[in-house]
Structure formats: structure tokens, C-alpha cells
Amino acid sequence: MLVAVLIVLQLGVFIYLVANGSQQSLFISWTLTVISFLVALHIVTQKNKGAYKLTWVFLILLVPVFGGLFYLLFKFQTSSKKFHRELEKVERGSKPSFLLPGNRFNEACKETPSHIPQIRYLQKFAGFPVYRHTRTKYLTPGEEKFSALLAELEKAERYIFLEYFIIHDGIMWGSVLEILKEKVKQGVDVRLIYDDMGCLFLLPKDYPKQLKKWGIKCAVFNPFRPVLSAIQNNRDHRKIAVIDGKVAFTGGINLADEYINAIEKYGHWKDASIMIEGEAAWSFTVMFLQMWSICKNINENYHHYYPWKYERCEIENDGLVQPYADSPMDHENVGEHVYLQMINNAKDYVYINTPYLIIDDSMVSALTLAAKSGVDVRIVTPHRWDKRIVHFTTRSYYRELISAGIKIYEYTEGFMHSKTFVSDDSTATVGTTNLDFRSLYLHFECGVWLYDSTAVMEVKNDFLKTLEISQKIRKQDCKDNVISNFLQDFLRLFAPLM
């Protein structure tokens, strides 16, 4: 919308200059154009993704009078800097809490030498430890997660922490809410975080007050304000449920009826989640409390919520489990790096589920290099789309990927919303991060990296079953007419905005 307004203003300026032609008008126009040129030079020298640089420079070339000012207004805002400082402070203070269950790094490195770079990156650099004594269960479709979630919520004794991008009244949320109300009466600490943009037209504005009447504590992440603000792009896209710090859920499934196929929006909704029980659940507890501290501007006592202060975690080892989170504020693309390392480390195969496939050159290079090196790379995307332009742009990548030997499939039963990678019968990741620019670079996301745990083969077997009801895309299927190809290539210029 803003880009469209800028184009109209630009046209208005040119018409005015032609009609007026005064020296003063020309001076103002040339001054703004010079500013845009200098800003474009600044953008090129920044340490950002090439696609972002290209989009901004293209926008400035498109509207040279206003483009530079728009960039300066958009990028250099005190609200973004303030939020970044608060987030950094919370993360710095809470980082040691992740290791309360103990440091399993050396054990993990001995167990799987070939995956030391992945484990080291997540623990030593990103700050997310690897855990043992954790049981895993892959849950698909959404109905499976719904059933397991209700059962675990009923068992809560101390606290329930929920953090979701979308919540919508219906069978799913209504069932969860009834349990939450009952648990509050039993003295359980119940807290909910939801993203304001994700729930903008789904929940009433005073919903936190309604929840408060029932004793449920609520925080709204990044409330929407109708002003030009870069921070409005940074949404909490995570899906986390934590029960007593001992059980946690994450994955693509929000608390709304389409995710459990109680209503049909785009055919059958194919989604995935994972339940972890044991030490690794604590990592999601810390992630939630970090976000709660930011939303409420308070200092949490993380140790107070640690579940094994007076007892030992008795869960038997089920491989290695390493939860991770991603923040757009630290310029460290953790979710993308997990994906890239899995692709680069694959020897036999990489199987990927994703609802969107709008990626930059580094991801394209990693995928195509793996395929050219003999790795069986397969990707499943939806056949029925939820956003027409996004799906149209997703298909623009098919030609290049298929030419490199990658097998592309579209889930024909409906909408594929799972975000999963599985490789070589040994590693997998299940989480909230889509293969698009918003998830990879703009949103708060999370996931779980798994090695040799039960869920790894469950992810693989589910992927292979999905192929049976998916349509393989052939090279000749990508031969659209000249106009379609041009539109797809043009839309890829604006991929970072999708």
C-alpha cells in the first residue's frame, strides 16, 4: 500500500514539475533525488541479504524523489532500537537458565561427531543447548496435536504457558479455554501470549480483559498501531505450549479450527507438530518467559519455574534434542542456518515440507548443490494456496530447482502448512519457520533439531505417505507463457515483502 502511494506521489511530482518548471521546484526535486542516490549507495554497502538490497534499490529507482526518504524513515526509528535493547537485555540475563538441566555438549559431540558443527553453532554461538533425557512424539495432522495437547493440559499442576501467532474462537480454542479456566481454579499459573497482527480480526480488542476475569494472564505481542513503523514487520510467529516445564509442544499448528480440519478453508489442512517430554521442554519454558518479560517489561525469576529442583528427570534418552529460537533483532538467522546446515550435511537425502518457497540465492545454491552432488532433495508445497500472489511466486522457483535435479511435489488434498526437514534417517527439525523471507528474517520463530530420536523416522514416514497424495511437478509443467514468466520474475523482486 505504501509503495503504491509513493508511486502516485512520484507521478504527481513529475506532472507538477512539467507544468510548473520553476527553479525552486527543480532544486527540491534534484536534492531529494541526490539523497535517494546516496541512500542507495549506503544500502549496497550494508551487511544484509542481497534480495533485500535489490528490493530497496529497485524501489528507490522506481521512485527516486521519495524512495530515499522512505528508507530513512523506515529504517532509523527509535522504537526499533528501543525494542532491540530490551530484547538484548532479557536474553543476556536469561541465557544461563537454559543450562539448568546440565551441559550435555561433550556427550552429544561424542555421540555424533558428524553433527558437531550443528550442535556447536546452536549451543556455543546461538545459546540453545542440546539435551538428553527427552522423549519425542511427532504429531500430524493437527487433530493429533489437539488431542495430545488437551490431555497434557489436564495434567498441569504448576503452570501452563501458551504462545501462539493465531487464536480464533471455535472448537479448538474453546476446548483449550475451558481447561485453562478449570486449571486457574485449581491454582495453576496460566499465561497466554498472542500476536496482535495474527489475531487482528479474530479476537476482540479487549480480549486480555476478558481473560483476566477468568484468572488467565495475557500479553499481546507488538500491538498493531496504524503508523509507519518498521517494528510492525516483526511478528511473533512462534507456537509454544509448555506444561510445568516438563512437556512442550511446537510446530505449525495455531489455536484455530482450520488447523484441526474442524472447518475447511483450502481443502484438507496438512500440518505438523512435535511434543517433547523431559529436559528439552525446559528450553521452551525459558523462551516463553523471555517473551513474557519483554511484553510485560518485567524481570522474571527463571529458576522459580525449573521443574527438577527437588527431583531428577527420569525420562530415558531418546537421542539428542536441541530446541532453538530465532529473533529478527540480532541479525543472526538461526532458523535459516539450521536448514542450511542440514542441507549441506546431507549424504543421501533431504525431504522438506513447506507452505511457501520464496528463498534467496544462498538457499537456492545450497539446495541445487546438494541435488547436483547426488543427494535426493524433495520438496512438498501446497497445491491449493492461501495467498495467490505468494503461491504464484513460489512456483517461479520450480524451473531452476527442477533443472538442478530437485523433485518438487504439490500436496493435492489441500493446504500443506507443515515446516519440516528430515535427512539421512538421522536428523530432522520440526518448527514454525517457513521457507520465505518473513519467517527466515523478520519473524520470531522456533523449532527443534533432532538426532536419532523417535520423531526422526516419524517425520520421514509421514513425508513418504504425503508423496502418495501429492502431484509431482515436471519440467514441462513449468513452461508458462511469456507474460506469466515475466510476472513471476517481476514479483521475485518484491519477495522480501511477501
Side-chain angles (χ1 to χ4, degrees), residues 166-185:
I166 291 175
I167 297 175
H168 193 193
D169 192 28
I171 295 171
M172 189 178 193
W173 175 236
S175 301
V176 170
L177 185 57
E178 287 305 310
I179 296 176
L180 299 184
K181 291 177 184 178
E182 190 60 36
K183 286 298 172 180
V184 168
K185 295 176 183 177

Side-chain angles (χ1 to χ4, degrees), residues 387-415:
K387 303 177 183 71
R388 186 178 182 85
I389 292 178
V390 174
H391 186 64
F392 188 64
T393 309
T394 286
R395 287 184 165 181
S396 73
Y397 291 84
Y398 288 179
R399 297 190 299 271
E400 182 178 359
L401 296 176
I402 292 173
S403 296
I406 295 169
K407 302 177 182 71
I408 305 287
Y409 301 81
E410 289 187 347
Y411 177 65
T412 53
E413 298 292 305
F415 186 62

